[in-house]
């Protein structure tokens, strides 16, 4: 019964709508309002979608800037790990003896930490550093290595690079500079014939007194106000000059290949080195 009443009420309502009469102007007004209500959401949606390319562009630009910064930083710091050429060192424009940073400043920190004493590595634009290694005390019994404290560092300068000779003697060079007792912290080992200058920095606290004293045997001279000990080592291969001196508790001993440099060059090299070490 209720259902029939609802249907009758609906029929009367529909008939009422059908009975409404409108002139052309009224129909036009209703049509415009209806179409306007349809277009308005479309416009809002269109404006919302038009912002997406702008946001994407801005985000891409931000990522490019941030990514470029980290890439540049990585390249700058990674370059510090490779050996510098003579030209690169000269272009650094560093004045030796000025007490400032050199291309070896970071390496000095590593060497000092590993050797357990302050290490100075002189910078010379004409002869770049090629290899640096830290040697530890120790001995081998029944093929078992007993490793002690670090006793000295070896720093080799040369204008020559590693090549075929080093490949042929790779195993021997590895034993000498690396192996059980060595720790190569920079560059690649060179055969002795390619050495121009070799610097030994001896830790005065961990080294045996005999190892210290034998490096200080020689004719006393003065360079840059410092007492040094000069020795012409004719029995070494290749024949060398040695100029050494004490630096606090440690010993610095420079060995010069006589086939590569003159005695005057050796004195000049030590003088420039002393100016850097003593500042």
């Amino acid at each position: 019964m209720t259902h029939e009443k609802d249907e009758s009420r609906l029929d009367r309502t529909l008939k009422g709508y059908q009975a409404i009469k409108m002139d052309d102007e009224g129909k036009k007004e209703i049509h415009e309002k209806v179409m306007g209500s349809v277009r308005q959401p479309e416009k809002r949606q269109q404006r919302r979608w038009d912002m997406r390319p702008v946001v994407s562009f801005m985000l891409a630009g931000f990522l490019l800037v941030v990514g470029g910064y980290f890439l540049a930083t990585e390249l700058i710091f990674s370059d510090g790990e490779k050996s510098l050429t003579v030209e690169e060192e000269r272009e650094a424009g560093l004045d030796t003896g000025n007490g400032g940073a050199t291309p070896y400043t970071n390496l000095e920190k590593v060497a000092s930490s590993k050797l357990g004493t302050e290490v100075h590595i002189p910078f010379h634009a004409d002869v770049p550093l090629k290899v640096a290694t830290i040697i530890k005390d120790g001995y081998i019994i029944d093929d078992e290595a007993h490793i002690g404290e670090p006793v000295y560092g070896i720093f080799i300068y040369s204008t020559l690079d590693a090549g075929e000779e080093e490949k042929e003697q790779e195993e021997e060079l590895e034993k000498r500079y690396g192996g059980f007792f060595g720790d190569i912290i920079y560059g690649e080992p060179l055969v002795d014939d390619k050495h121009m200058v070799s610097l030994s920095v001896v830790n005065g606290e961990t080294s045996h007194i005999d190892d210290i004293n034998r490096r200080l045997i020689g004719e006393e001279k003065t360079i840059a106000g410092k007492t040094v000990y000069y020795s012409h080592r004719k029995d070494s291969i290749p024949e060398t000059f040695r100029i050494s001196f004490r630096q606090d508790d440690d010993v610095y001993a420079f060995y010069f290949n006589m086939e590569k440099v003159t005695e005057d060059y050796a004195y000049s090299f030590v003088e420039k080195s002393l100016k850097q070490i003593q500042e």
Side-chain angles (χ1 to χ4, degrees):
M1 185 70 177
T2 303
H3 179 66
E4 291 177 356
K5 287 183 179 180
D6 290 340
E7 285 185 348
S8 299
R9 190 181 298 112
L10 177 61
D11 289 339
R12 289 194 300 271
T13 302
L14 292 175
K15 288 178 181 179
Y17 285 144
Q18 291 174 0
I20 295 173
K21 293 183 180 181
M22 302 181 68
D23 55 13
D24 292 339
E25 185 176 350
K27 292 179 180 179
K28 183 179 179 180
E29 182 179 353
I30 291 177
H31 179 268
E32 289 178 352
K33 289 182 179 181
V34 172
M35 293 306 295
S37 63
V38 172
R39 291 193 189 101
Q40 191 171 1
E42 289 181 352
K43 288 181 181 179
R44 285 198 299 268
Q45 184 177 10
Q46 185 178 7
R47 283 196 297 269
R48 185 168 58 251
W49 280 98
D50 286 346
M51 290 298 293
R52 292 190 178 187
V54 177
V55 174
S56 299
F57 178 78
M58 293 175 64
L59 180 60
F62 174 76
L63 293 175
L64 181 62
V65 171
V66 174
Y69 169 78
F70 284 108
L71 178 60
T73 304
E74 178 66 21
L75 290 175
I76 289 171
F77 283 100
S78 64
D79 283 347
E81 301 298 325
K82 67 179 182 180
S83 300
L84 297 173
T85 65
V86 176
E87 290 76 14
E88 288 171 334
E89 289 179 334
R90 187 177 291 111
E91 288 173 0
L94 300 166
D95 181 16
T96 56
N98 63 0
T102 76
Y104 310 139
T105 298
N106 289 334
L107 182 60
E108 287 178 332
K109 295 177 182 178
V110 175
S112 298
S113 175
K114 288 184 174 291
L115 189 55
T117 189
E118 186 175 7
V119 175
H120 302 278
I121 306 173
F123 165 72
H124 296 271
D126 58 332
V127 186
L129 183 70
K130 289 298 182 178
V131 63
T133 186
I134 304 298
I135 304 298
K136 296 179 180 178
D137 194 11
Y139 54 90
I140 298 176
I141 297 180
D142 297 331
D143 296 330
E144 183 179 354
H146 299 267
I147 302 173
E149 294 181 294
V151 287
Y152 62 93
I154 300 175
F155 306 90
I156 296 170
Y157 297 80
S158 180
T159 57
L160 303 175
D161 297 319
E164 292 299 323
E165 294 176 273
E166 284 72 22
K167 290 181 180 179
E168 294 173 1
Q169 302 182 41
E170 182 177 2
E171 185 175 347
E172 179 184 343
L173 290 171
E174 174 59 29
K175 287 181 180 179
R176 186 190 305 180
Y177 294 99
F180 292 116
F181 307 110
D183 182 9
I184 299 174
I185 60 174
Y186 181 88
E188 299 179 66
L190 298 175
V191 296
D192 291 347
D193 290 342
K194 292 184 178 181
H195 296 187
M196 289 184 66
V197 183
S198 177
L199 166 63
S200 292
V201 179
V202 183
N203 186 325
E205 293 186 359
T206 59
S207 297
H208 194 278
I209 188 64
D210 291 342
D211 290 332
I212 294 174
N213 289 338
R214 69 184 178 85
R215 289 181 168 87
L216 296 173
I217 296 174
E219 180 183 356
E220 283 193 19
K221 293 179 178 292
T222 302
I223 301 178
K226 182 83 169 179
T227 299
V228 303
Y229 302 89
Y230 169 84
S231 175
H232 183 178
R233 305 172 72 238
K234 296 181 180 180
D235 57 340
S236 64
I237 301 175
E239 194 172 341
T240 61
F241 303 113
R242 189 204 68 212
I243 301 177
S244 58
F245 53 86
R246 281 191 175 275
Q247 179 65 25
D248 298 325
D249 294 331
D250 304 327
V251 173
Y252 281 65
F254 292 86
Y255 300 85
F256 297 90
N257 184 342
M258 290 184 60
E259 296 178 1
K260 304 292 184 185
V261 303
T262 65
E263 188 172 356
D264 288 340
Y265 179 87
Y267 282 112
S268 176
F269 191 96
V270 172
E271 182 177 10
K272 292 177 181 178
S273 299
L274 275 168
K275 289 179 180 179
Q276 296 178 55
I277 293 171
Q278 292 179 334
E279 287 195 0

